[in-house]
């Protein structure tokens, strides 16, 4: 089994893929953070960084149909420009620390982002200018070192009076482009191995099914209440991961 995971750990991660994929299909974000946070309870969370990139890319392609007209492409370009600067720095820092330190940093970051999302911070108008979105991209790039570049953008987008369809479609367009840039940097950092491909292959059917199921649910329901539930779930997983790192 990949990463020498036992049956119990594999079952836990299968459930995590199912839940995270549904959340991703429903709301457009949260898959990577949920799966990385869940994996930190049974293995080194850095093991699953490249795995979530592969799975995120396939889900974005799966969900792309019909999303194109709602994508804010100008915003996507600025976000990618910022991420191109932030990601190498984040990888340099994260790959130079121990497993427990990485677990604590990732879990602490997730908890902070969950608190920001739950705080309900709001802006009176959308942030349309390029430089502010470029700064958001830098933060997203730093956060994508552990494969969780979506959380700061989810917080940034949620604070703006942005239509839900634009929120979701813009993230769907941004993630695969960010992942294409991230993949060779992960390989250079030693985060891509045969175990990575094996784990992604095992997780792919469950993830795609859950993403499809969540996508069907999204079109019939306002995602705001469900997004709040997903954030609380994510905060709980992060708290458990932080506790494991500190004990």
């Amino acid at each position: 089994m990949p990463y020498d995971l036992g049956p119990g750990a594999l079952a836990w991660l299968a459930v995590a893929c199912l839940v995270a994929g549904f959340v991703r299909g429903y709301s457009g974000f949260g898959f990577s953070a949920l799966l990385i946070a869940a994996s930190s309870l049974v293995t080194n969370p850095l093991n699953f960084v490249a795995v979530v990139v592969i799975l995120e890319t396939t889900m974005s392609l799966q969900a792309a149909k019909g999303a194109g007209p709602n994508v804010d492409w100008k915003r996507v370009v600025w976000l990618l420009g910022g991420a191109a600067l932030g990601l190498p720095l984040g990888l340099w820092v994260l790959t130079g620390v121990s497993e427990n330190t990485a677990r604590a940093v990732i879990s602490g970051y997730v908890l902070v982002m969950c608190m920001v999302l739950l705080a309900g911070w709001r802006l009176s108008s959308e942030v349309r200018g390029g430089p502010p979105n470029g700064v958001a991209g830098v933060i997203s790039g730093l956060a994508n070192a552990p494969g969780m570049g979506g959380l700061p953008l989810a917080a940034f987008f949620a604070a703006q009076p942005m239509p839900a369809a634009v929120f979701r479609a813009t993230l769907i367009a941004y993630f695969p482009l960010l992942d294409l840039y991230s993949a060779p940097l992960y390989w250079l950092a030693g985060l891509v191995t045969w175990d990575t491909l094996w784990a992604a292959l095992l997780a792919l059917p469950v993830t795609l099914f859950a993403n499809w199921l969540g996508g069907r649910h999204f079109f019939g329901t306002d995602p705001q209440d469900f997004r709040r539930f997903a954030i609380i779930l994510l905060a709980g997983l992060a708290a458990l991961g932080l506790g494991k790192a500190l004990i």
Side-chain angles (χ1 to χ4, degrees):
M1 290 292 104
Y3 305 115
D4 297 321
L5 295 170
L10 286 173
W12 166 252
L13 290 172
V15 172
C17 281
L18 187 65
V19 174
F22 184 86
V23 170
R24 171 68 156 74
Y26 189 105
S27 62
F29 85 103
F31 175 82
S32 296
L34 281 165
L35 188 53
I36 293 290
S39 73
S40 73
L41 300 178
V42 295
T43 186
N44 184 341
L46 295 184
N47 288 340
F48 272 75
V49 170
V51 175
V52 299
V53 166
I54 295 171
L55 297 175
E56 280 277 14
T57 301
T58 56
M59 284 189 295
S60 293
L61 295 174
Q62 183 187 26
K65 184 179 179 181
N70 293 311
V71 177
D72 186 338
W73 286 109
K74 181 178 179 181
R75 194 189 299 263
V76 169
V77 169
W78 277 98
L79 291 171
L80 288 171
L85 299 176
L87 179 59
L89 178 59
L91 278 173
W92 176 72
V93 172
L94 198 60
T95 55
V97 300
S98 68
E99 176 181 335
N100 248 4
T101 301
R103 181 178 287 114
V105 169
I106 290 170
S107 299
Y109 156 73
V110 171
L111 278 174
V112 169
M113 292 310 306
C114 287
M115 286 189 287
V116 171
L117 286 164
L118 290 172
W121 171 55
R122 292 288 185 270
L123 296 172
S124 59
S125 60
E126 283 193 55
V127 179
R128 309 291 301 181
N133 283 288
V135 172
V138 172
I139 297 170
S140 174
L142 287 166
N144 210 51
M148 294 188 288
L151 279 182
L153 291 189
F156 183 51
F157 285 8
Q160 304 173 48
M162 181 185 298
V166 175
F167 181 118
R168 182 173 178 270
T170 301
L171 289 181
I172 286 172
Y174 171 72
F175 283 134
L177 296 173
L178 175 63
D179 292 342
L180 284 174
Y181 172 67
S182 302
L185 295 182
Y186 290 148
W187 180 76
L188 290 172
L191 298 180
V192 179
T193 66
W194 285 113
D195 277 346
T196 301
L197 302 178
W198 180 220
L201 184 63
L202 288 174
L204 193 59
V206 174
T207 301
L208 290 179
F209 170 73
N211 185 54
W212 170 81
L213 196 62
R216 286 176 60 88
H217 194 61
F218 168 82
F219 290 111
T221 309
D222 185 344
Q224 296 301 324
D225 290 339
F226 186 82
R227 186 177 292 131
R228 190 174 300 109
F229 161 77
I231 293 167
I232 293 171
L233 173 63
L234 179 56
L237 288 172
L240 289 173
L242 187 61
K244 181 172 182 177
L246 296 177
I247 293 175

